[in-house]
Amino acid sequence: MDKLILGRYIPGDSIVHRLDPRSKLLAMFVFISIIFWANNLITNIILFSFTVIAILLSKVKLGFFIRGVRPMIGLILFTTFFQMFFIQGGTIIFEFGFLRITDYSLGQAVMIFIRFVLIIFFSTLLTLTTTPLSLSDAVESLLTPLKPFKVPVHEIGLMLSLSLRFVPTLMDDTTRIMNAQRARGVDFGEGNIIQKVKSVIPILIPLFASSLKRADALATAMESRGYQGGDGRTKYRLLHWGLKDSLLMLTLLGLTVALFLLKST
Amino acid sequence: MGITLQNVNFTYQKGTPFEGRALFDINLAIENKQFTAVIGHTGSGKSTIMQLLNGLHVPTEGMVVVDDITIAPDSKTKDIKSVRKKVGLVFQFPESQLFEETVLKDVAFGPQNFGVSEEKAEEIAKEKLKLVGITEELFEKNPFELSGGQMRRVAIAGILAMEPNVLVLDEPTAGLDPKGRRELMSLFKQLHKSGMSIVLVTHLMDDVANFADYVYVLQEGKIVLKGKPTDVFQQVDFLENIQLGVPKITKFAHNLTKRGLKIEKLPITIAEFVEVVING
């Protein structure tokens, strides 16, 4: 689990770190949506350079992102190979039995690969430079327009920030319980599938039990501090939409227009 | 026999930006049938050392030798599993590791993992439960119905059931009331008398003074002081400087010497103090 980079935050002080989390979140949504328009060389180059510039601005090491892709490389390659072998059309370059690679399928496969990598790079960039708490503030703030439609915006925000707050705690709990059970002679990840599944029980039950206990204690502590739901609460952490956020949005607008015009139909 | 750590270094998550060095060149020996205490501030590497002792962590450099088994940086889990049976680890708040339907089954879980038959394991479990002071009517109860103190006893019985030679305890009395604390400590003393080596990780100096034969003082991943408790606790100023302190009675005697009382060697237990005052 230590190798998973996605979803972790590295404290830093760069222009990307200082952006408003709302603009970063919106930027990611827009970026991932328009990534599917990029279907020729020029559009891919534009997207790629945009990502690299964003990474450079964040001052996080590039090797770090590459390492972040590593746990998912198997899945990406799997999909890529399927694209390569099973898409029809175009001139045949190589044929062996039912496997056939054409210039068209090769291009598609490369595109899929690039899309995956860019999506992972960009979402890693978001989580590496934004604290989980400000991310959940951003979600709450972005969902506010849905309030008249009876969407429980405050509750969603609260649950999100509580869950994010407890992810590391639960991870610590898991490691602690796993180590304690290992010390009692449990081998995790060994033996056949049934043994493997069985060895999960000594982690899951204590983990559930401690989560329930934690939830109970937390609810009591919140109530005793006067929590009565979202109505009438003020905010301690305020989000500030600055000039650089507007600039980011403009850049993305430009990127969207450019991609729309340059994509091949 | 015993456990030795030879030039052990340990780094968490080596090779990532989250890399953190926990131990620097640790040399430590735990002799057979000795009551060893490891003290240090929060984050000084006590718990890391504890997990090195039974192969949960493998050293980044150097080696750990348990009896005739060597744990080196490239050791595989398969080769060191037998170490886990020899060295029983009681983690902080061990009650959080209970999971079976009944108390008895939970205690019997450990030995069964090392190949002991179910009947034999339950037999051992009953014996160990009685040893830690859990009465028979609780054996078939669900562990989650017990009180906090009872749960901790059951958890400790679960480790004792593996019949380890060395018992490693990480702050075993944290969060207990004074009575529970005294009872547990006297249980460990009794186990020690019956021939078990005990390693106690704690920051209660009074426990160290009362029970330990040998003590290691850790600071920021390095051993800064070691020796018999009587010798170590003479360094009142040094220990207070690194915010560990000394037993209450030692501090009291130290204050008395400042006001002119002549004491050759600072006492570390109340009994010693009484003797010093009467004879000196």
Side-chain angles (χ1 to χ4, degrees), chain A residues 13-148:
Chain A
D13 186 35
S14 68
I15 186 152
V16 183
H17 279 88
R18 284 193 302 267
L19 278 172
D20 190 298
R22 282 173 295 185
S23 67
K24 275 192 269 189
L25 198 62
L26 277 177
M28 194 187 75
F29 275 122
V30 174
F31 186 81
I32 288 179
S33 321
I34 59 175
I35 228 172
F36 294 96
W37 284 349
N39 54 2
N40 54 23
L41 190 64
I42 180 88
T43 45
N44 272 309
I45 288 175
I46 291 176
L47 278 183
F48 209 82
S49 28
F50 179 74
T51 315
V52 170
I53 289 171
I55 289 174
L56 287 180
L57 282 177
S58 78
K59 291 183 190 159
V60 182
K61 282 196 199 95
L62 192 65
F64 200 36
F65 288 86
I66 294 165
R67 217 174 293 139
V69 177
R70 215 182 276 163
M72 280 169 272
I73 198 78
L75 181 76
I76 298 173
L77 286 181
F78 181 77
T79 328
T80 313
F81 276 116
F82 264 79
Q83 291 283 335
M84 199 158 81
F85 288 125
F86 294 111
I87 284 185
Q88 308 294 329
T91 42
I92 293 164
I93 302 174
F94 170 81
E95 195 167 5
F96 178 77
F98 63 93
L99 296 175
R100 122 169 16 116
I101 301 177
T102 67
D103 57 352
Y104 178 65
S105 74
L106 199 64
Q108 287 292 309
V110 171
M111 207 118 75
I112 287 280
F113 185 79
I114 290 177
R115 274 179 196 166
F116 263 116
V117 170
L118 284 184
I119 289 177
I120 293 170
F121 271 22
F122 216 80
S123 37
T124 311
L125 180 66
L126 176 78
T127 54
L128 283 182
T129 57
T130 320
T131 59
L133 269 183
S134 56
L135 213 52
S136 76
D137 281 344
V139 171
E140 189 178 340
S141 159
L142 289 175
L143 285 178
T144 309
L146 296 178
K147 231 177 191 168

Side-chain angles (χ1 to χ4, degrees), chain A residues 64 179-181 183-184 187 206, chain B residues 17 51 81 96-97 106 113 162:
Chain A
F64 200 36
N179 278 339
Q181 305 297 21
R184 295 216 280 170
D187 293 317
Chain B
Q51 293 179 47
K81 196 182 169 187
S96 64
Q97 72 196 45
D106 199 280
N113 285 328
M162 304 193 307

